[in-house]
Each structure stands twice: as C-alpha cells, then as structure tokens.
Amino acid sequence: MSDSYFPRWRVVADPAPGAVIAPDERLSWSKNAAMGAQHVVAMFGSTVLAPLLMGFDPNVAILMSGIGTLIFFLFVGGRVPSYLGSSFAFIGGVVAVTGYAGGGPNANIGVALGAIIACGLVYALIGVGVCAAGRRAAGWIEALMPPVVTGAVVAVIGLNLAPIAAKGAMGQGTFDAVMALVTIVCVGGIAVFTRGMVQRLLILVGLILACVVYAICANGLGLGKPIDFSGVAAAAWLGLPHFSAPVFQADAMGLIVPVAIILVAENLGHVKAVSAMTGRDMDRYLGRAFIGDGVATMVSGAVGGTGVTTYAENIGVMAVTRIYSSIVFVIAALIAIALGFSPKFGALIQTIPGPVLGGMSVVVFGLIAIAGARIWVVNRVDFSDNRNLIVAAVTLVLGAGDFTLKLGGFLLGGIGTATFGAIILYALLRGGARRPE
C-alpha cells in the first residue's frame, strides 16, 4: 500500500469476470462512470425517502449526500469506499422536536437542523478520541457496544418510529389505507419475485410501481386524490434547492445528539464489512471515518440537509459487483450533486402520494427493526445468557415506549434513553452474567 495520503489507483483496464477491484485500483473512466451511476441508483430510494418523512427538501438531501460523500472521501484519504446518504436514525428525534405531522415542508426545520449539527459535532469528537487512542479504540468500541447492544439499538429505531408509519399508512380514509397496503405488496413482490439489481433496488422500484398503481386508480379511475404534475411542468431544469438555516435549542439537541452513538455503530459495522470483503485491515481509518461522517453531518445540517451515514445499500452493490474502488464514489457523489441542482427533479419527488409514502414507511421502519434482530442472529447472540436477555428486553421497551427523561434543559427521548441505557446496563451487568437454572 502506498505511503501517500491518497492511493495511486492502479488502472485495471480489462479485469477478468468476477475479479476483485481493490479500493486503491480503478477501472477505465467509462466503466467507473457506469459504476458511479449504479451507486447513485442504489442509494436513491432511501436518501430521498428519509427527508420526505421529516419534511426536508429532498433536493438538498441529495445534494448534501454527494457533498458529504466527498467530505468522507477526503478524511479517509480515499482508503475506505463508502457512500453517505440520509440517515433514518434521525427521523424519530426530528419528528419529536419539530412536531412534524407529514404533508409538505417542515415548518420547524431550523430547530432540527441545529440539533443535527450538534450531533455531528459530538460524532466528530468521538472520532478525534478514536484517532488519539489509535488501534486500541476499535476494541474499546466493540467492548462497549457488542452485538447484543448494537442489535437492540438498531431495532429500537424501527420500533420507535412504528406509530408514525402506522399513522401515515392509515391516511385520510379507506382508499389511502388500501393504497398503503398496495405499496407494501409492491415492495414485497419486488423483494421476493425478482432477481439481480432489480431486487437490490426494491425500495426504488417498489416506490415507482406503487406510484403507477396509484395514478391508475386516482388519475385514471377517480378513486382518490389525483397526482398533480403541474409543479413538475413549471419547475426549471436547473436552479438552487431550498436551503434552510439552523436554530439551536437545548431540548432539541438533548433528543437528537444521542443519535451519534447509533451512527458510530453503523460506521463501525461498515468499516468491518468492507474490511472483510476486501481482506484489508481498515481499523486504522476508523477514527477518520467517524470524523468525516460527523463533519459531513454538520455541513448538511448547516444548509437544510438531513444527518448522513454510511449506506448499507452501497455495501451491497460492492458485494455483488466485487468492485471496491473508492474513486467510483467520487463519481457517484458528483452525479448526486448535479441532481441536487435540478428543481424539476425535486418537484417530481414531491408528487409522490402520501399513502404511498405511508406504506413505504411501514416497510422501511420494519426493515430497520428486523436489521437489529439480524445482527443478533448473524453474531449468534446467546439469549440463554441473562445479561443479554435483560439488556435486549429493557432496551426494546424503552425505545418502543418512547421513554423520555428530562435532564435540566435537555430532553432525552426514547431512542436516546434506549441507546445509553443499553450501553450502561451491559457495562453494569458485564461481570455477572448468569444462566437460568
């Protein structure tokens, strides 16, 4: 490996079928561009859905996902291939501090943005601490957040958001509820009955299919509120997205700052996954990865974007293609930035019907909850160990019940109390695990 800050990216002009392209290698520029476009498609569904569920401008979210990916690339020196997209971990906190009830822009977005910036700062400071501690930090983090803890925390995100998903799916009447269920069936059908890249893009393809069905029923048969495309026709092809300014409030920061712990767990998992797939030890870049993600979240929040995180969707694309070249993500980021400056693209996203978003929320939030359970299964968490049993049980109830603590001027919501509770409870019980008789 080169001693320079950035790799030299050795060109692999004609790779054999199925050959592994390492992070410090690259294909021809035409193939790099195609791979970059594929990564944009992979992240698109989730990166757009998250801001819509929080009342943020999706154009800003797409733009900042590209800029955030470039920031991350710079901090890790192009050594860790990753795409940064909108994080779903922020949704519960943002909805709580803004009182957002769906349907258009979030009127209190500034309060959420200030808290997102504060979260990014804490996240970046954790990264600084990890850099200072060196390679030992990865072991410490894994000791504080073993699979039983990270699995419970991830599951809590989905469970905490379940009431929001159910409310969105019910909509304003029977037609809305039925269309939400149709959306769920569309996504499920794509997930089960398709293969290859279509299956990997189940959120995006399922969303498009559900919108087509809705348009046939509403615009064609007059069964519901028609989709209005007048905004798309009137929007310009190029222009600035709607930026927003942050407002800093202590109670809002108290609810959202704990999300930094969740982002640490996500990023740690990403680095470990890429290390396993490439056969390269990337623990040395862990602190820089945390700082890059934290700074990207701060920059995004400063202009009206969502908090960002490393994306599992793009890890999946790398696993399928076996192309881990980090330069591909620079191209993907530049494509996303270009899309962010298209008001017509943003207007098209805004035409997505509410019932379709509601049904999609049920699927996505459910998948988040199940992802936590999958962490337990993959890591073979032993629930005959009373310590694991108690930690998981208490964490799930605190998060699902939105257990909130008021600490002076700070409010710690369900996700925050569940996250810190899981870490602290595991540490307290660590030396005294007992098996049932």
Side-chain angles (χ1 to χ4, degrees):
M1 184 176 291
S2 171
D3 292 330
S4 62
Y5 186 76
F6 290 103
R8 298 188 186 279
W9 289 292
R10 184 176 65 87
V11 179
V12 182
D14 190 22
V20 173
I21 305 300
D24 57 356
E25 297 176 334
R26 70 171 178 85
L27 301 169
S28 66
W29 286 114
S30 60
K31 292 178 180 178
N32 281 337
M35 281 303 305
Q38 182 169 255
H39 277 290
V40 170
V41 173
M43 67 83 188
F44 181 85
S46 297
T47 296
V48 167
L49 182 60
L52 289 176
L53 297 176
M54 292 184 281
F56 285 39
D57 186 334
N59 269 57
V60 177
I62 288 289
L63 172 65
M64 297 315 298
S65 76
I67 293 176
T69 298
L70 293 180
I71 291 173
F72 182 89
F73 177 87
L74 291 174
F75 271 95
V76 299
R79 304 289 181 177
V80 183
S82 179
Y83 193 92
L84 270 58
S86 303
S87 172
F88 283 83
F90 287 93
I91 296 176
V94 168
V95 171
V97 302
T98 62
Y100 182 66
N106 191 329
N108 298 316
I109 187 174
V111 175
L113 296 177
I116 288 172
I117 293 173
C119 178
L121 176 60
V122 171
Y123 188 12
L125 291 175
I126 292 173
V128 172
V130 170
C131 285
R135 297 178 64 85
R136 296 171 296 173
W140 294 346
I141 293 172
E142 290 174 346
L144 282 172
M145 295 186 295
V148 65
V149 171
T150 54
V153 169
V154 172
V156 155
I157 298 173
L159 295 175
N160 185 266
L161 295 170
I164 299 172
K167 183 179 179 181
M170 289 185 290
Q172 304 298 317
T174 302
F175 176 76
D176 286 358
V178 170
M179 288 310 306
L181 295 175
V182 168
T183 301
I184 294 170
V185 172
C186 287
V187 177
I190 297 297
V192 174
F193 298 112
T194 64
R195 295 293 181 267
M197 281 306 298
V198 173
Q199 188 181 60
R200 299 210 64 84
L201 301 176
L202 75 163
I203 296 296
L204 178 62
V205 178
L207 180 69
I208 294 172
L209 181 59
C211 286
V212 170
V213 174
Y214 184 97
I216 292 172
C217 294
N219 294 59
L221 302 177
L223 298 178
K225 182 181 178 182
I227 302 176
D228 183 7
F229 293 100
S230 60
V232 179
W237 283 102
L238 293 175
L240 290 175
H242 300 290
F243 296 118
S244 300
V247 176
F248 296 93
Q249 290 186 4
D251 56 347
M253 289 188 284
L255 278 168
I256 292 180
V257 163
V259 172
I261 303 298
I262 301 168
L263 300 180
V264 166
E266 289 179 341
N267 207 331
L268 175 66
H270 172 92
V271 173
K272 292 293 185 183
V274 175
S275 294
M277 289 188 295
T278 60
R280 296 188 176 187
D281 182 5
M282 294 188 174
D283 283 356
R284 72 186 72 181
Y285 307 119
L286 198 58
R288 284 155 58 178
F290 291 169
I291 297 172
D293 200 353
V295 171
T297 293
M298 293 171 67
V299 173
S300 179
V303 298
T306 63
V308 295
T309 188
T310 49
Y311 253 34
E313 289 90 336
N314 298 91
I315 296 178
V317 172
M318 286 191 286
V320 169
T321 62
R322 308 189 77 185
I323 297 173
Y324 306 102
S325 174
S326 59
I327 203 71
V328 166
F329 292 94
V330 174
I331 296 172
L334 294 176
I335 295 173
I337 290 170
L339 289 175
F341 285 111
S342 175
K344 191 173 288 290
F345 167 74
L348 181 63
I349 294 172
Q350 295 291 351
T351 63
I352 299 173
V356 173
L357 281 178
M360 197 62 69
S361 299
V362 172
V363 175
V364 171
F365 298 162
L367 288 174
I368 293 172
I370 293 301
R374 185 176 183 275
I375 291 174
W376 293 335
V377 173
V378 170
N379 292 278
R380 299 180 181 178
V381 174
D382 182 9
F383 283 108
S384 66
D385 184 333
N386 284 343
R387 172 186 54 190
N388 292 338
L389 197 64
I390 293 297
V391 168
V394 172
T395 303
L396 292 180
V397 172
L398 288 178
D402 199 25
F403 186 87
T404 302
L405 288 176
K406 187 172 183 180
L407 307 171
F410 286 87
L411 285 176
L412 197 61
I415 293 177
T417 54
T419 300
F420 287 121
I423 294 171
I424 295 170
L425 190 58
Y426 183 86
L428 290 174
L429 301 177
R430 186 173 183 179
R434 294 291 185 271
R435 295 179 182 274
E437 299 295 335

